Each structure stands twice: as structure tokens, then as C-alpha cells.
Amino acid sequence: MIPTLNEERNLPHVFAKLPEGISEVIVVDGGSQDRTVAVALELRPDAVIVQQTRTGKGNALACGFAACTSDIIVMIDADGSTDPSEIPAFVAELVAGADFVKGSRFDKGGHSHDITKLRKLGNDGLNLVVNVLFGTRFTDLCYGYNAFWRRVVPTLALPDPTLPRPVDGSKLWGDGFEIETMINIRAAADGMKVGEVGSIEHARIHGQSNLNTFRDGFRVLRTIFSEYGRMRRMRRNGAGDQGVIVHQHPTARPANTPPVHPLNKVVSRPAATGDSRQHVAHINRSSRRDEVGTRRTDDIRALQARATRED
């Protein structure tokens, strides 16, 4: 799934690196003024084009998730920063037992050609806050290269794409760049087995990024504390605490390398006893494994009423 906004010059590079065997390509367009949609269809006539219902990357992802029909969803960027040739490594981790796999620029085998020293310092600080609050061992909280089984989408509880945009033009909470942090934290806090793979982030090929170091950094920090409050509310409502474990994969495997069983390394506080699968972790407060991806989400109107407006 590829969110796009005026990326016609970058799409040829991105599509050329898509691995063989991908059965579905979802292009979510945010109202591009160039030939982004036309180029996508020229490069991949079977691509599914989805138009955003509101604005922001979070809404783009929610619209894309709703359109996906394949078993596995992989999020990549249209600017060339995420390498599609790494997709098999993510898929192998899912097949090996993970529910959710996130790329890491700072795990073994990972690297970034784009991040500045200031952003790296901020990312390290945000990682520390999350790891302390949630008991995780994330190495790269803010990287948006993720893959997961489609069945877990309801658990992420993202704002419904059918909700109207606020009349004042602001975004619903979760519609902006905070979405990547929100997804990563909810994956860890809501009961999924989470894996990390080393990933190489490249510099954007054409165009300029919409990220702002300080504005978006504070937004991520706000998201962390918002999600911490959400987790505490869930626990008060009767869900049990089984601890958090994050699996980390040391390198991104080539496409022709078979998946490794079990997952290489378990790093975090111990989960509840009684589970004999040492490579598997219970990451949320749920006591039943089959609740992942099927547990009740917030009522959509209640979500709308609680939505926090962006500045």
C-alpha cells in the first residue's frame, strides 16, 4: 500500500523495485495535482487507486487498509525512502509467527541516508519514553515501514474513513503524521507479537518532505502520552496485563532466504508464564490469543466525539 501526493517522478523507481509475486498494489492518492495516478496505472495497470476521504497520512493509511483484500499489508512510501526490495524480509518475519513487523533504521542491518543528527537525537529520546512507559524495546519508533496481517487492522482502531472532515478544516486525531507512532504503539500495547527487521532508509528522490522536526516531534510526544492514557483506560476496564515483548531480527534477509524459526531474539520484560512458545510473546492485555484482530473497537460516534483537533 502506497500513499501518494504529487509523486509522479518517484513512482517509476518505487514500482521498479517491487518484488515479484505481489498480488495487490493499493495506491492511495491525497489529491495530487500532477500525473501521479496516471503514472501509477501506466506502470501497473492492475493497481487499485483509492482517493482519500479527508487529509493527512493517517487518513490515507486508513483508506488504504479498508481497500486491501490480501492477507498481508505492507506500508511503503512513494518518495523512494523505503526500499520495496526489503518486503520479503518483512513477510518472512510474519510467516515465522509475528503479527506485526516494523522496520528499524537502527537495528542491525539498518541505516538511514536521510535522518539528521537532530532528528536522530529526537528519535532516541522518543524511543526511550515509549520503552519506559510501555515496557517495549523499540529501536526505531518513528519509521513508517511496517507490515502486518490484515486481520489485525480492527485492533489498530484508526479513525473511520467514512467520518466527515471537521468543518473547521482540522484533522481528526490519527489523521496526521502521528499515525505511524500510534500504529506502532498500539501494535505493542494491544496484544500483537511484534518483530523488527533492519531497514535502510534512502533520501527522497524528488520533491521535498512535509516533515517538520520540532512540530512533528512534539506531535509524536503528544501521541505517546495519549496512547499511554488509552492503555491505562483499557487496563482499568478489566483487561489483564501480560507484559510486553518485542522480537528483533538482526538483518533484513534477501528475497531467496527462507524464514527463520523461531524468531532470533526476544528482548523485553518477561511475558506471563504458561506459554511454551518461547519465540512468541503476548504484547497486550488480552488473555486470549484469538482476540487479536477481532476485539471490539470504540464506537465510531464516540470516537468522533472524542477526537482531538490539531492546532
Side-chain angles (χ1 to χ4, degrees), residues 11 15 27 35-47 49:
L11 286 184
F15 276 54
V27 176
R35 297 185 66 250
T36 292
V37 172
V39 169
L41 292 174
E42 290 169 2
L43 295 169
R44 183 109 183 188
D46 62 340
I49 307 298

Side-chain angles (χ1 to χ4, degrees), residues 87-113:
I87 289 176
F90 286 76
V91 173
E93 193 84 351
L94 292 170
V95 173
D99 294 309
F100 184 99
V101 180
K102 66 183 305 298
S104 172
R105 296 164 292 183
F106 313 118
D107 195 12
K108 293 180 180 178
H111 183 68
S112 176
H113 296 286

Side-chain angles (χ1 to χ4, degrees), residues 157-160 163 296-307:
L158 303 182
D160 192 319
L163 290 174
R296 183 178 63 83
T297 58
D298 291 340
D299 179 82
I300 200 64
R301 295 305 168 190
L303 177 65
Q304 183 180 21
R306 292 198 308 270

Side-chain angles (χ1 to χ4, degrees), residues 70-73 94 97-100 148-156 192-193 289-295:
S70 300
D71 293 331
I72 291 175
I73 298 174
L94 292 170
D99 294 309
F100 184 99
F148 45 89
W149 296 99
R150 182 165 58 92
R151 65 174 181 266
V152 309
V153 170
T155 307
L156 300 177
M192 303 180 204
K193 298 185 291 288
R289 175 66 187 89
D290 59 3
E291 287 179 350
V292 175
T294 60
R295 49 188 288 274

Side-chain angles (χ1 to χ4, degrees), residues 69-136:
T69 62
S70 300
D71 293 331
I72 291 175
I73 298 174
V74 183
M75 300 161 41
I76 64 174
D77 290 332
D79 60 5
S81 60
T82 53
D83 187 351
S85 67
E86 296 175 351
I87 289 176
F90 286 76
V91 173
E93 193 84 351
L94 292 170
V95 173
D99 294 309
F100 184 99
V101 180
K102 66 183 305 298
S104 172
R105 296 164 292 183
F106 313 118
D107 195 12
K108 293 180 180 178
H111 183 68
S112 176
H113 296 286
D114 186 54
I115 196 168
T116 63
K117 291 183 179 180
L118 179 61
R119 286 172 52 204
K120 176 63 166 61
L121 181 63
N123 189 76
D124 290 344
L126 295 169
N127 275 337
L128 178 62
V129 173
V130 168
N131 290 337
V132 169
L133 291 180
F134 295 89
T136 55

